Amino acid sequence: MILRGIVFLIGVLLCVILASPAFAAGAIAETVVRTAAPATGVETEVTRTALVLTLLAIVPAFIVSSTSFLRIVVVLAMVRHAFGMPQTPPNIVLTSLALFMTAFLMAPTLNQVNDQGLSPFMDGTASMEEAMDGASGPIKTFMLQHTRERDIELVYSIAKEPLPATAQEVELLKLVPAFIMNELRVAFTIGFVILLPFLLIDLVVASILLSLGMMMVPPQTISLPIKVLMFILIDGWSLVLEGLLGSFG
């Protein structure tokens, strides 16, 4: 569920805040006591807790490398640089927007991960291996839908291994870098289209200033308000977000 994914992200922050020496000592003592107790069921409570904490630690890397977050945040950063304002909007604003858009786009996949992997494991009806296999299936399917065969072939050629017979046989460790390369390619393609109108405005303003003999006036001083006004008039943020959502169709 999306709410559970948000809880996971909050849990990462809580783990960082609570990682004090006193808290760590108490956690270690409690873990030792629980480990000494006899195990019951398919997986013990200690094993489940350890796995959940491990997942919380790798959630940021998972979000960046295996979801739509990478493409979205790169495009939003390029929009910011197109204006010539590298600090506006702030990083926290762009990251938050990218996270919520990622949650919106990945909602069906995250629901499948929860139904096929997380929930059965937390309920004790599936082992750790079964939960990992069930959870990785929807993620793998999503990445295969947005990865070119050329990128997968490149990764396997670098690894000097033969290509698998079917797409489902592609190893996850080789699919992730291929997926990242494709996301960067698409993000830079979208960013190039976005940069062109802003570059045209800069060239026109620079030419006008040069023809008027105002060589001491920085073109950025004149072009920045014009670019911001143009972006507002065409409702630029809506167009960018709509284009990003459409690129995953």
Side-chain angles (χ1 to χ4, degrees), residues 57-107:
I58 64 175
V59 160
F62 164 76
I63 293 176
V64 172
S65 62
S66 305
T67 67
S68 58
F69 176 83
L70 178 61
R71 182 189 306 185
I72 296 172
V73 76
V74 170
V75 171
L76 294 180
M78 294 186 74
V79 172
R80 181 175 63 180
H81 284 283
F83 283 106
M85 301 184 298
Q87 300 299 327
T88 305
N91 290 330
I92 186 63
V93 175
L94 295 184
T95 305
S96 300
L97 179 59
L99 281 174
F100 279 101
M101 288 188 63
T102 301
F104 174 76
L105 285 168
M106 298 292 297

Short mmCIF file of all heavy atoms in Angstrom, two decimals, residues 57-107:
data_model
loop_
_atom_site.label_atom_id
_atom_site.label_comp_id
_atom_site.label_asym_id
_atom_site.label_seq_id
_atom_site.Cartn_x
_atom_site.Cartn_y
_atom_site.Cartn_z
N ALA A 57 16.80 0.47 5.62
CA ALA A 57 18.11 1.05 5.32
C ALA A 57 18.35 1.18 3.83
O ALA A 57 19.07 2.09 3.39
CB ALA A 57 19.21 0.20 5.96
N ILE A 58 17.77 0.27 3.03
CA ILE A 58 18.03 0.31 1.59
C ILE A 58 16.89 0.96 0.81
O ILE A 58 16.95 0.99 -0.43
CB ILE A 58 18.27 -1.12 1.05
CG1 ILE A 58 17.01 -1.97 1.21
CG2 ILE A 58 19.45 -1.76 1.75
CD1 ILE A 58 17.12 -3.34 0.58
N VAL A 59 15.88 1.47 1.50
CA VAL A 59 14.77 2.12 0.80
C VAL A 59 15.23 3.29 -0.07
O VAL A 59 14.80 3.42 -1.22
CB VAL A 59 13.68 2.56 1.80
CG1 VAL A 59 12.79 3.63 1.22
CG2 VAL A 59 12.83 1.36 2.20
N PRO A 60 16.10 4.20 0.42
CA PRO A 60 16.54 5.31 -0.45
C PRO A 60 17.20 4.83 -1.73
O PRO A 60 16.91 5.34 -2.82
CB PRO A 60 17.51 6.09 0.44
CG PRO A 60 17.10 5.77 1.83
CD PRO A 60 16.64 4.34 1.79
N ALA A 61 18.10 3.85 -1.63
CA ALA A 61 18.75 3.32 -2.83
C ALA A 61 17.74 2.65 -3.75
O ALA A 61 17.83 2.76 -4.98
CB ALA A 61 19.85 2.34 -2.44
N PHE A 62 16.78 1.95 -3.16
CA PHE A 62 15.75 1.30 -3.97
C PHE A 62 14.90 2.33 -4.72
O PHE A 62 14.60 2.15 -5.90
CB PHE A 62 14.87 0.45 -3.06
CG PHE A 62 13.56 0.04 -3.68
CD1 PHE A 62 13.50 -0.96 -4.62
CD2 PHE A 62 12.37 0.69 -3.34
CE1 PHE A 62 12.30 -1.34 -5.20
CE2 PHE A 62 11.18 0.32 -3.91
CZ PHE A 62 11.14 -0.69 -4.85
N ILE A 63 14.53 3.42 -4.05
CA ILE A 63 13.71 4.45 -4.70
C ILE A 63 14.45 5.08 -5.87
O ILE A 63 13.88 5.32 -6.94
CB ILE A 63 13.29 5.51 -3.67
CG1 ILE A 63 12.34 4.91 -2.63
CG2 ILE A 63 12.64 6.71 -4.34
CD1 ILE A 63 11.95 5.86 -1.53
N VAL A 64 15.74 5.34 -5.71
CA VAL A 64 16.51 6.01 -6.74
C VAL A 64 16.76 5.10 -7.94
O VAL A 64 16.66 5.53 -9.09
CB VAL A 64 17.84 6.54 -6.17
CG1 VAL A 64 18.73 7.08 -7.27
CG2 VAL A 64 17.57 7.62 -5.13
N SER A 65 17.08 3.83 -7.69
CA SER A 65 17.57 2.96 -8.75
C SER A 65 16.51 2.09 -9.40
O SER A 65 16.75 1.56 -10.50
CB SER A 65 18.68 2.05 -8.20
OG SER A 65 18.17 1.22 -7.16
N SER A 66 15.34 1.93 -8.79
CA SER A 66 14.38 0.95 -9.30
C SER A 66 12.99 1.52 -9.54
O SER A 66 12.06 0.75 -9.81
CB SER A 66 14.27 -0.24 -8.32
OG SER A 66 15.53 -0.81 -8.08
N THR A 67 12.81 2.81 -9.44
CA THR A 67 11.50 3.42 -9.63
C THR A 67 11.61 4.58 -10.62
O THR A 67 12.67 4.84 -11.19
CB THR A 67 10.92 3.93 -8.30
OG1 THR A 67 11.73 5.02 -7.82
CG2 THR A 67 10.91 2.82 -7.25
N SER A 68 10.49 5.27 -10.78
CA SER A 68 10.46 6.42 -11.69
C SER A 68 11.06 7.67 -11.09
O SER A 68 11.10 8.71 -11.76
CB SER A 68 9.00 6.70 -12.08
OG SER A 68 8.21 6.95 -10.92
N PHE A 69 11.56 7.60 -9.87
CA PHE A 69 12.10 8.78 -9.20
C PHE A 69 13.27 9.39 -9.96
O PHE A 69 13.38 10.62 -10.05
CB PHE A 69 12.53 8.41 -7.78
CG PHE A 69 13.18 9.52 -7.00
CD1 PHE A 69 12.41 10.46 -6.34
CD2 PHE A 69 14.56 9.63 -6.94
CE1 PHE A 69 13.01 11.50 -5.64
CE2 PHE A 69 15.16 10.66 -6.24
CZ PHE A 69 14.39 11.59 -5.59
N LEU A 70 14.14 8.55 -10.50
CA LEU A 70 15.35 9.05 -11.16
C LEU A 70 15.02 9.97 -12.32
O LEU A 70 15.56 11.08 -12.43
CB LEU A 70 16.19 7.86 -11.62
CG LEU A 70 17.48 8.20 -12.37
CD1 LEU A 70 18.41 9.01 -11.48
CD2 LEU A 70 18.17 6.93 -12.84
N ARG A 71 14.14 9.53 -13.21
CA ARG A 71 13.79 10.34 -14.37
C ARG A 71 13.13 11.65 -13.95
O ARG A 71 13.44 12.72 -14.49
CB ARG A 71 12.85 9.56 -15.29
CG ARG A 71 12.46 10.29 -16.56
CD ARG A 71 11.38 9.58 -17.33
NE ARG A 71 11.73 8.19 -17.62
CZ ARG A 71 10.99 7.39 -18.38
NH1 ARG A 71 9.84 7.84 -18.90
NH2 ARG A 71 11.36 6.14 -18.60
N ILE A 72 12.25 11.58 -12.98
CA ILE A 72 11.50 12.77 -12.56
C ILE A 72 12.42 13.81 -11.95
O ILE A 72 12.37 15.00 -12.30
CB ILE A 72 10.38 12.38 -11.58
CG1 ILE A 72 9.36 11.48 -12.27
CG2 ILE A 72 9.69 13.61 -11.01
CD1 ILE A 72 8.33 10.89 -11.33
N VAL A 73 13.29 13.40 -11.03
CA VAL A 73 14.12 14.36 -10.34
C VAL A 73 15.16 14.97 -11.27
O VAL A 73 15.51 16.15 -11.14
CB VAL A 73 14.78 13.70 -9.10
CG1 VAL A 73 15.93 12.80 -9.50
CG2 VAL A 73 15.26 14.75 -8.11
N VAL A 74 15.66 14.21 -12.25
CA VAL A 74 16.63 14.77 -13.20
C VAL A 74 15.97 15.82 -14.08
O VAL A 74 16.54 16.89 -14.32
CB VAL A 74 17.25 13.64 -14.05
CG1 VAL A 74 18.07 14.21 -15.20
CG2 VAL A 74 18.13 12.75 -13.18
N VAL A 75 14.77 15.53 -14.57
CA VAL A 75 14.07 16.50 -15.42
C VAL A 75 13.75 17.77 -14.64
O VAL A 75 13.93 18.89 -15.14
CB VAL A 75 12.80 15.87 -16.01
CG1 VAL A 75 11.95 16.93 -16.72
CG2 VAL A 75 13.15 14.75 -16.97
N LEU A 76 13.27 17.64 -13.41
CA LEU A 76 12.96 18.81 -12.60
C LEU A 76 14.22 19.63 -12.33
O LEU A 76 14.17 20.88 -12.32
CB LEU A 76 12.31 18.38 -11.28
CG LEU A 76 10.93 17.73 -11.39
CD1 LEU A 76 10.42 17.34 -10.00
CD2 LEU A 76 9.94 18.66 -12.08
N ALA A 77 15.34 18.99 -12.11
CA ALA A 77 16.60 19.72 -11.90
C ALA A 77 17.02 20.46 -13.16
O ALA A 77 17.54 21.58 -13.09
CB ALA A 77 17.69 18.76 -11.45
N MET A 78 16.80 19.86 -14.33
CA MET A 78 17.16 20.52 -15.58
C MET A 78 16.25 21.72 -15.86
O MET A 78 16.70 22.71 -16.43
CB MET A 78 17.09 19.52 -16.74
CG MET A 78 18.13 18.41 -16.63
SD MET A 78 18.18 17.33 -18.07
CE MET A 78 18.99 18.41 -19.25
N VAL A 79 14.99 21.62 -15.45
CA VAL A 79 14.10 22.79 -15.57
C VAL A 79 14.63 23.95 -14.74
O VAL A 79 14.64 25.11 -15.17
CB VAL A 79 12.67 22.41 -15.15
CG1 VAL A 79 11.78 23.65 -15.09
CG2 VAL A 79 12.08 21.40 -16.12
N ARG A 80 15.08 23.63 -13.55
CA ARG A 80 15.62 24.68 -12.68
C ARG A 80 16.85 25.33 -13.28
O ARG A 80 17.00 26.56 -13.24
CB ARG A 80 15.94 24.08 -11.31
CG ARG A 80 16.49 25.08 -10.31
CD ARG A 80 16.66 24.45 -8.94
NE ARG A 80 17.64 23.37 -8.96
CZ ARG A 80 17.98 22.66 -7.88
NH1 ARG A 80 17.40 22.92 -6.71
NH2 ARG A 80 18.87 21.70 -7.95
N HIS A 81 17.73 24.54 -13.86
CA HIS A 81 18.94 25.09 -14.47
C HIS A 81 18.62 25.85 -15.75
O HIS A 81 19.38 26.74 -16.15
CB HIS A 81 19.94 23.98 -14.75
CG HIS A 81 20.65 23.49 -13.52
ND1 HIS A 81 21.69 24.20 -12.93
CD2 HIS A 81 20.47 22.40 -12.76
CE1 HIS A 81 22.13 23.54 -11.87
NE2 HIS A 81 21.39 22.45 -11.73
N ALA A 82 17.53 25.51 -16.43
CA ALA A 82 17.16 26.22 -17.64
C ALA A 82 16.83 27.68 -17.35
O ALA A 82 17.08 28.56 -18.18
CB ALA A 82 15.96 25.54 -18.30
N PHE A 83 16.30 27.94 -16.17
CA PHE A 83 16.02 29.31 -15.78
C PHE A 83 17.30 30.08 -15.47
O PHE A 83 17.32 31.30 -15.50
CB PHE A 83 15.12 29.35 -14.54
CG PHE A 83 13.68 29.06 -14.82
CD1 PHE A 83 13.12 27.86 -14.48
CD2 PHE A 83 12.89 30.01 -15.45
CE1 PHE A 83 11.79 27.60 -14.74
CE2 PHE A 83 11.56 29.76 -15.72
CZ PHE A 83 11.00 28.54 -15.36
N GLY A 84 18.37 29.38 -15.13
CA GLY A 84 19.57 30.05 -14.65
C GLY A 84 19.52 30.31 -13.17
O GLY A 84 20.26 31.15 -12.65
N MET A 85 18.64 29.58 -12.44
CA MET A 85 18.53 29.71 -10.98
C MET A 85 18.82 28.34 -10.36
O MET A 85 17.90 27.56 -10.10
CB MET A 85 17.13 30.19 -10.60
CG MET A 85 16.74 31.53 -11.19
SD MET A 85 15.12 32.12 -10.63
CE MET A 85 14.05 30.82 -11.27
N PRO A 86 20.08 28.01 -10.12
CA PRO A 86 20.42 26.65 -9.64
C PRO A 86 19.92 26.32 -8.25
O PRO A 86 19.97 25.16 -7.85
CB PRO A 86 21.96 26.66 -9.69
CG PRO A 86 22.35 28.09 -9.62
CD PRO A 86 21.26 28.85 -10.31
N GLN A 87 19.44 27.31 -7.49
CA GLN A 87 18.97 27.05 -6.13
C GLN A 87 17.48 27.31 -5.95
O GLN A 87 16.97 27.24 -4.83
CB GLN A 87 19.75 27.92 -5.14
CG GLN A 87 21.25 27.67 -5.14
CD GLN A 87 21.60 26.24 -4.76
OE1 GLN A 87 20.91 25.61 -3.95
NE2 GLN A 87 22.66 25.70 -5.34
N THR A 88 16.77 27.59 -7.03
CA THR A 88 15.34 27.89 -6.95
C THR A 88 14.60 27.12 -8.03
O THR A 88 14.92 27.26 -9.22
CB THR A 88 15.09 29.40 -7.14
OG1 THR A 88 15.86 30.12 -6.19
CG2 THR A 88 13.63 29.73 -6.95
N PRO A 89 13.64 26.29 -7.64
CA PRO A 89 13.18 25.94 -6.29
C PRO A 89 14.24 25.15 -5.52
O PRO A 89 15.09 24.52 -6.14
CB PRO A 89 11.94 25.07 -6.55
CG PRO A 89 11.55 25.33 -7.97
CD PRO A 89 12.82 25.64 -8.68
N PRO A 90 14.16 25.16 -4.18
CA PRO A 90 15.16 24.43 -3.38
C PRO A 90 15.13 22.94 -3.64
O PRO A 90 14.14 22.38 -4.16
CB PRO A 90 14.75 24.77 -1.93
CG PRO A 90 13.89 25.98 -2.03
CD PRO A 90 13.21 25.91 -3.36
N ASN A 91 16.22 22.27 -3.26
CA ASN A 91 16.33 20.82 -3.48
C ASN A 91 15.22 20.06 -2.77
O ASN A 91 14.69 19.07 -3.30
CB ASN A 91 17.69 20.32 -2.99
CG ASN A 91 18.83 20.81 -3.87
OD1 ASN A 91 18.64 21.03 -5.07
ND2 ASN A 91 19.99 20.98 -3.29
N ILE A 92 14.85 20.50 -1.56
CA ILE A 92 13.83 19.78 -0.79
C ILE A 92 12.48 19.84 -1.51
O ILE A 92 11.69 18.88 -1.44
CB ILE A 92 13.72 20.36 0.64
CG1 ILE A 92 12.78 19.53 1.49
CG2 ILE A 92 13.33 21.82 0.60
CD1 ILE A 92 13.21 18.11 1.71
N VAL A 93 12.22 20.93 -2.21
CA VAL A 93 10.95 21.06 -2.93
C VAL A 93 10.91 20.10 -4.12
O VAL A 93 9.92 19.37 -4.32
CB VAL A 93 10.74 22.51 -3.38
CG1 VAL A 93 9.48 22.63 -4.24
CG2 VAL A 93 10.64 23.44 -2.18
N LEU A 94 11.98 20.09 -4.90
CA LEU A 94 12.02 19.21 -6.06
C LEU A 94 12.02 17.73 -5.64
O LEU A 94 11.34 16.90 -6.26
CB LEU A 94 13.27 19.50 -6.90
CG LEU A 94 13.34 20.88 -7.56
CD1 LEU A 94 14.57 20.99 -8.44
CD2 LEU A 94 12.09 21.17 -8.36
N THR A 95 12.75 17.41 -4.57
CA THR A 95 12.79 16.03 -4.10
C THR A 95 11.42 15.58 -3.59
O THR A 95 10.98 14.45 -3.87
CB THR A 95 13.84 15.86 -3.00
OG1 THR A 95 15.11 16.31 -3.47
CG2 THR A 95 13.95 14.42 -2.56
N SER A 96 10.74 16.44 -2.86
CA SER A 96 9.41 16.10 -2.35
C SER A 96 8.43 15.90 -3.49
O SER A 96 7.64 14.94 -3.49
CB SER A 96 8.91 17.19 -1.40
OG SER A 96 9.78 17.34 -0.30
N LEU A 97 8.47 16.79 -4.47
CA LEU A 97 7.58 16.65 -5.63
C LEU A 97 7.88 15.36 -6.38
O LEU A 97 6.95 14.64 -6.79
CB LEU A 97 7.74 17.86 -6.55
CG LEU A 97 6.90 17.86 -7.84
CD1 LEU A 97 5.42 17.78 -7.52
CD2 LEU A 97 7.20 19.10 -8.67
N ALA A 98 9.16 15.05 -6.55
CA ALA A 98 9.53 13.81 -7.24
C ALA A 98 9.08 12.58 -6.46
O ALA A 98 8.65 11.58 -7.06
CB ALA A 98 11.04 13.78 -7.47
N LEU A 99 9.17 12.63 -5.13
CA LEU A 99 8.75 11.49 -4.32
C LEU A 99 7.25 11.23 -4.43
O LEU A 99 6.81 10.09 -4.59
CB LEU A 99 9.13 11.73 -2.85
CG LEU A 99 10.58 11.47 -2.47
CD1 LEU A 99 10.83 11.89 -1.03
CD2 LEU A 99 10.94 10.00 -2.66
N PHE A 100 6.46 12.29 -4.36
CA PHE A 100 5.00 12.11 -4.44
C PHE A 100 4.58 11.68 -5.84
O PHE A 100 3.65 10.88 -5.99
CB PHE A 100 4.29 13.39 -4.02
CG PHE A 100 4.19 13.56 -2.53
CD1 PHE A 100 5.05 14.40 -1.85
CD2 PHE A 100 3.25 12.86 -1.79
CE1 PHE A 100 4.97 14.55 -0.47
CE2 PHE A 100 3.16 12.99 -0.42
CZ PHE A 100 4.03 13.84 0.24
N MET A 101 5.25 12.20 -6.87
CA MET A 101 4.93 11.74 -8.22
C MET A 101 5.33 10.28 -8.40
O MET A 101 4.64 9.51 -9.08
CB MET A 101 5.66 12.62 -9.25
CG MET A 101 5.08 14.02 -9.40
SD MET A 101 5.83 14.90 -10.80
CE MET A 101 5.30 13.88 -12.17
N THR A 102 6.45 9.90 -7.79
CA THR A 102 6.87 8.50 -7.84
C THR A 102 5.85 7.60 -7.15
O THR A 102 5.52 6.51 -7.65
CB THR A 102 8.25 8.34 -7.19
OG1 THR A 102 9.20 9.16 -7.88
CG2 THR A 102 8.70 6.89 -7.23
N ALA A 103 5.37 8.02 -5.98
CA ALA A 103 4.36 7.24 -5.27
C ALA A 103 3.09 7.11 -6.11
O ALA A 103 2.46 6.04 -6.12
CB ALA A 103 4.04 7.90 -3.93
N PHE A 104 2.72 8.17 -6.83
CA PHE A 104 1.53 8.13 -7.67
C PHE A 104 1.72 7.15 -8.84
O PHE A 104 0.84 6.33 -9.14
CB PHE A 104 1.22 9.53 -8.20
CG PHE A 104 0.10 9.58 -9.18
CD1 PHE A 104 -1.22 9.48 -8.76
CD2 PHE A 104 0.35 9.73 -10.54
CE1 PHE A 104 -2.26 9.51 -9.69
CE2 PHE A 104 -0.68 9.78 -11.46
CZ PHE A 104 -1.99 9.67 -11.03
N LEU A 105 2.88 7.23 -9.49
CA LEU A 105 3.13 6.37 -10.64
C LEU A 105 3.36 4.91 -10.26
O LEU A 105 2.95 4.01 -10.98
CB LEU A 105 4.37 6.89 -11.41
CG LEU A 105 4.16 8.15 -12.25
CD1 LEU A 105 5.50 8.70 -12.72
CD2 LEU A 105 3.28 7.87 -13.45
N MET A 106 4.00 4.71 -9.11
CA MET A 106 4.36 3.36 -8.70
C MET A 106 3.29 2.70 -7.83
O MET A 106 3.51 1.60 -7.31
CB MET A 106 5.67 3.39 -7.93
CG MET A 106 6.87 3.89 -8.72
SD MET A 106 7.35 2.76 -10.04
CE MET A 106 7.82 1.32 -9.10
N ALA A 107 2.15 3.35 -7.62
CA ALA A 107 1.12 2.80 -6.73
C ALA A 107 0.69 1.38 -7.11
O ALA A 107 0.64 0.50 -6.25
CB ALA A 107 -0.09 3.74 -6.70
#
